[in-house]
Amino acid sequence: MPVHCPADPRYDVVVVGARAAGAATAFLLARSGLRVLLVDRGRYGADTLSTHALMRGGVLQLSRWGLLEKIIAAGTPPVCRATFRHADAVVPVTIKPSYGVDALYAPRRTVLDPILVDAAVASGADVRFGIAVADLDRDRRGAVTGVAGRTRDGQAFRARARIVVGADGIRSTVAERAGAPFERVGTSAAAATYGYWSGLETDGYEWNFRPNAASGVIPTNDGQACVFASASPRRIGRGGVAPLTQIVAESSADLAGRLAAAVPPRALRTFTGRPGHMRRSWGRGWALVGDAGYFKDPIGAHGLTDALRDAELLARGIIAVVDGADERDALARYEMTRDALSTALFDVTDVIAGHRWTDDEIPDLLLQLNAAMASEVQALAALPPLPPPTDQRPSTHSSPQPHLTRSRPVPCG
Ligand SMILES: Cc1cc2nc3c(=O)[nH]c(=O)nc-3n(C[C@H](O)[C@H](O)[C@H](O)COP(=O)(O)OP(=O)(O)OC[C@H]3O[C@@H](n4cnc5c(N)ncnc54)[C@H](O)[C@@H]3O)c2cc1C
């Protein structure tokens, strides 16, 4: 017997994947009064393969949503400075307060993701971990109507929804089952290895770039600093302290000295590389957000910021549908906006991740990266506040879809 929520409620939205993109989308939708189910095959609060430097756009989103104070309360240190090193140049940049963002933050994923999940729960979303979605249900005309999968203990699971959101990461099952075509695929795939050092002297983000030897420092919770090295997959190999310290020594003698004086981690984690992609991110009854629809190499440290950005862009599109807009128009507009804000960043990240640039070329590539980020922040800062729940604002029209409801959700199991 498939497991259903009590009385088999049909949700407005089922979101698959409960991390940066999915939990944020579920939070924003539930906060606006939609009936939302958020599922993930993993466990609440578990770590994942990812460093976690947030750029200004990501911090701005958390601040706009009222969640930044929880990140700060979790002991995440403010990052007030970033230092770029390339060839013989050392370029310190002070993070200037703007758009209400006074500092950057790099919360561990064990801090950031649960804060977003908790916010979704507090807003009324049903959240269930230990559910692996394997397929999409469709109606006779091919529109997606729900998800099917299994619980951790092997029971069949089904949930119906007006819109299914795939926030299930790089190897998205929702994207694959929806048949979402790749619209762009990058040409480069760098590898990265990283770990957490204690007692490392640092005064902020550090980004060091030499040909086929990039490294950096990301100060984070519990007095630790995440140190990473990025290079071609061949150079990183299976990762670990040996290639990392070699790459750090090549890219910054200064960091190498401080690293030697700090306490190394017992183990490092290694990403073996994957080219970026942009997928068609909507269709009848489905949409993609986060890495599922748009992934780029971690060298630009921008995936989380984009996930938080696109969670809001998609939530706005879905809320517009609930408020009577044409689904195709609203979701196509979401993808168009995402792509307009992402293409320059995607392109320059792909070049940097190729690790085929010279010392002379990298300063200009970093300027391009910075310019792409600046226009994203401006676009986010210009967004009006999200609509409040329907019970707090006048309804001007009824939804054309009878099962699109704006009532508060019924708690699930
Ligand atoms: C090595 C590395 C370093 C990085 N460093 C940074 C950085 O410093 N800064 C930055 O901004 N970004 C960084 N990124 C990118 C960042 O990790 C991603 O952009 C971000 O995790 C995307 O979030 P997401 O919610 O889309 O997907 P994910 O975080 O991948 O979450 C997807 C979720 O979906 C769940 N899921 C998957 N399939 C199913 C299924 N079938 N059923 C149910 N649940 C499912 C998974 O369990 C998972 O919890 C890095 C990435 C890597 C690999």
Side-chain angles (χ1 to χ4, degrees):
M1 270 294 279
V3 176
H4 291 287
C5 289
D8 185 19
R10 189 192 290 261
Y11 290 92
D12 295 323
V13 184
V14 171
V15 181
V16 183
R19 287 193 181 274
T25 305
F27 157 61
L28 296 170
L29 292 172
R31 198 173 69 165
S32 282
L34 275 69
R35 289 164 53 98
V36 179
L37 174 65
L38 173 64
V39 298
D40 198 295
R41 67 182 173 198
R43 291 180 194 277
Y44 171 82
D47 204 358
T48 188
L49 179 68
S50 170
T51 67
H52 33 78
L54 292 178
M55 298 299 149
R56 192 182 293 269
V59 178
L60 177 59
Q61 289 299 78
L62 293 170
S63 161
R64 292 177 60 242
W65 302 339
L67 299 179
L68 185 58
E69 59 201 42
K70 292 187 190 299
I71 301 284
I72 296 169
T76 315
V79 172
C80 302
R81 192 178 163 96
T83 303
F84 293 83
R85 302 187 188 91
H86 39 84
D88 294 330
V90 179
V91 185
V93 177
T94 300
I95 310 301
K96 292 195 196 101
S98 72
Y99 302 113
V101 172
D102 297 342
L104 304 182
Y105 293 87
R108 290 286 299 257
R109 296 297 295 269
T110 51
V111 171
L112 174 68
D113 296 352
I115 285 175
L116 293 167
V117 171
D118 292 351
V121 172
S123 301
D126 293 342
V127 180
R128 297 196 52 183
F129 284 87
I131 289 180
V133 167
D135 209 349
L136 301 176
D137 289 331
R138 293 177 186 268
D139 66 14
R140 274 180 290 128
R141 289 177 306 162
V144 170
T145 56
V147 296
R150 294 216 166 260
T151 63
R152 194 172 287 137
D153 55 10
Q155 294 189 68
F157 174 86
R158 280 209 129 77
R160 294 189 292 159
R162 174 69 182 81
I163 294 179
V164 171
V165 171
D168 47 345
I170 307 179
R171 291 174 196 80
S172 167
T173 302
V174 174
E176 191 253 313
R177 299 308 297 161
F182 288 99
E183 292 184 332
R184 299 200 55 192
V185 176
T187 56
S188 310
T193 189
Y194 69 92
Y196 294 88
W197 267 254
S198 301
L200 178 70
E201 269 186 51
T202 180
D203 65 354
Y205 288 161
E206 300 183 40
W207 313 111
N208 310 313
F209 292 91
R210 296 299 311 279
N212 204 16
S215 66
V217 177
I218 301 170
T220 188
N221 305 89
D222 302 321
Q224 293 192 310
C226 173
V227 181
F228 70 87
S230 163
S232 64
R234 196 182 164 143
R235 178 147 203 214
I236 295 287
R238 300 173 73 181
V241 173
L244 182 138
T245 43
Q246 204 175 24
I247 288 169
V248 166
E250 231 172 84
S251 52
S252 168
D254 174 53
L255 174 58
R258 284 179 284 129
L259 204 60
V263 183
R266 274 205 296 266
L268 270 67
R269 298 200 69 179
T270 299
F271 173 66
T272 52
R274 182 183 171 102
H277 65 238
M278 294 179 98
R279 290 184 98 141
R280 163 87 183 261
S281 287
W282 66 278
R284 283 198 294 168
W286 62 271
L288 303 176
V289 68
D291 282 2
Y294 158 47
F295 167 75
K296 66 226 149 293
D297 190 274
I299 188 84
H302 213 74
L304 291 165
T305 291
D306 283 348
L308 300 177
R309 177 196 78 190
D310 294 343
E312 179 163 345
L313 297 179
L314 177 58
R316 283 174 182 276
I318 293 174
I319 292 166
V321 174
V322 171
D323 282 351
D326 181 82
E327 181 183 304
R328 282 167 304 184
D329 288 351
L331 296 184
R333 197 171 318 120
Y334 152 66
E335 181 174 314
M336 239 161 47
T337 311
R338 180 199 72 179
D339 291 357
L341 292 173
S342 305
T343 304
L345 197 105
F346 181 90
D347 288 340
V348 68
T349 302
D350 193 49
V351 176
I352 298 174
H355 282 290
R356 289 184 290 270
W357 34 266
T358 63
D359 280 334
D360 289 342
E361 289 164 341
I362 191 68
D364 184 55
L365 292 171
L366 294 176
L367 283 177
Q368 288 178 41
L369 192 66
N370 190 47
M373 291 188 196
S375 18
E376 172 181 78
V377 172
Q378 277 166 13
L380 289 175
L383 286 175
L386 268 163
T390 24
D391 54 7
Q392 289 174 29
R393 71 181 202 264
S395 174
T396 49
H397 37 216
S398 58
S399 158
Q401 285 91 3
H403 57 268
L404 278 178
T405 57
R406 304 291 303 223
S407 58
R408 301 304 300 168
V410 180
C412 177

